[in-house]
Amino acid sequence: MQSPRTHLRTRKPAGLVAGAGLMLTTLLGAAPAQAADPAPRAVGSTEQQVGAHAEAGVLANSPGISPAAERVRYISGTTYSCPTGRLCARVWDPTRSTYKVFDLYYCNTYSLSYWGGRGGFYNYQTDGTVARFYNSSGTAVHTSIARSTAPSGWNWDPIWKIKNC
C-alpha cells in the first residue's frame, strides 16, 4: 500500500469506481450500481478545506511524521532556531497557513505524510553526523553533513523519508 503522502496521490478517480461497478452489474445482470465517493471527506482538527481548493472539494492536510518528532512547533516567517543535537525540518502547513517545524533528535528513519512544496532544514546535530533524505522508491536523493542547512529553494515534494543519523 502506498503511503498517504498527499490527498491527490491516494485518491482514485471516480470513473474507475463507477466503471468497475457498471462492469460487475453487467456481468451479473443487475441494475447499475451507484458510484461511491472514492475519498470520503473527513472533518477534524488536522483536515479542513482551504481557499480555492475548498471549492474544488480538495482537502488540505497538516504535515505529519512517524515516529513522532521530539518537538513540533509553528513559526511565523521562515526564520527559526534549531537546538543543538537536532535536525529541524520546516514544511508549510496549509491548514494553518504557516510553517510547521519538526525537531528530530532520536536516531530514526522518519516517514513523512502530507509534506510538499518549499521548506527547509537545519542539520544542527553533532559535527559530521550525516542525515539522508529518501524518495518514494527508497533511494537517497540528498545527504546533509552536520552542521548545514537546506539548499536554497528546498522542495519537499520528492522526499518521503528522513534518516537523521
Side-chain angles (χ1 to χ4, degrees), residues 38-57:
R41 290 184 203 96
V43 177
S45 61
T46 60
E47 296 187 60
Q48 56 183 284
Q49 293 186 353
V50 178
H53 293 293
E55 294 174 15

Side-chain angles (χ1 to χ4, degrees), residues 5 16 22 26 30-31 37-39 43 49 52 56 82 89 95 98 107 112 131:
R5 277 284 307 233
L16 292 178
L22 184 57
T26 303
D37 184 2
V43 177
Q49 293 186 353
C82 186
T95 67
T98 189
C107 181
L112 312 179

Side-chain angles (χ1 to χ4, degrees), residues 37-80:
D37 184 2
R41 290 184 203 96
V43 177
S45 61
T46 60
E47 296 187 60
Q48 56 183 284
Q49 293 186 353
V50 178
H53 293 293
E55 294 174 15
V58 177
L59 296 176
N61 295 284
S62 181
I65 196 164
S66 179
E70 178 188 40
R71 176 174 67 157
V72 177
R73 56 202 157 110
Y74 288 92
I75 60 168
S76 59
T78 58
T79 304
Y80 59 101

Side-chain angles (χ1 to χ4, degrees), residues 75-163:
I75 60 168
S76 59
T78 58
T79 304
Y80 59 101
S81 61
C82 186
T84 301
R86 275 76 176 161
L87 181 130
C88 300
R90 173 179 53 90
V91 61
W92 183 255
D93 185 341
T95 67
R96 299 203 35 187
S97 296
T98 189
Y99 282 100
K100 190 173 187 179
V101 177
F102 296 83
D103 294 359
L104 308 180
Y105 176 72
Y106 298 103
C107 181
N108 272 310
T109 299
Y110 295 89
S111 295
L112 312 179
S113 56
Y114 305 109
W115 287 49
R118 293 189 183 269
F121 65 83
Y122 289 134
N123 187 351
Y124 206 56
Q125 300 178 95
T126 307
D127 287 343
T129 302
V130 178
R132 290 178 175 78
F133 300 81
Y134 298 93
N135 64 15
S136 63
S137 64
T139 302
V141 293
H142 184 76
T143 57
S144 165
I145 300 173
R147 305 209 168 172
S148 66
T149 61
S152 67
W154 181 259
N155 182 4
W156 287 110
D157 287 339
I159 309 299
W160 289 57
K161 293 184 182 222
I162 299 171
K163 182 168 180 69

Side-chain angles (χ1 to χ4, degrees), residues 1-6 8-11 136 160:
M1 184 171 154
Q2 190 177 30
S3 174
R5 277 284 307 233
T6 67
L8 297 176
R9 288 185 181 163
T10 59
R11 187 176 182 146
S136 63
W160 289 57

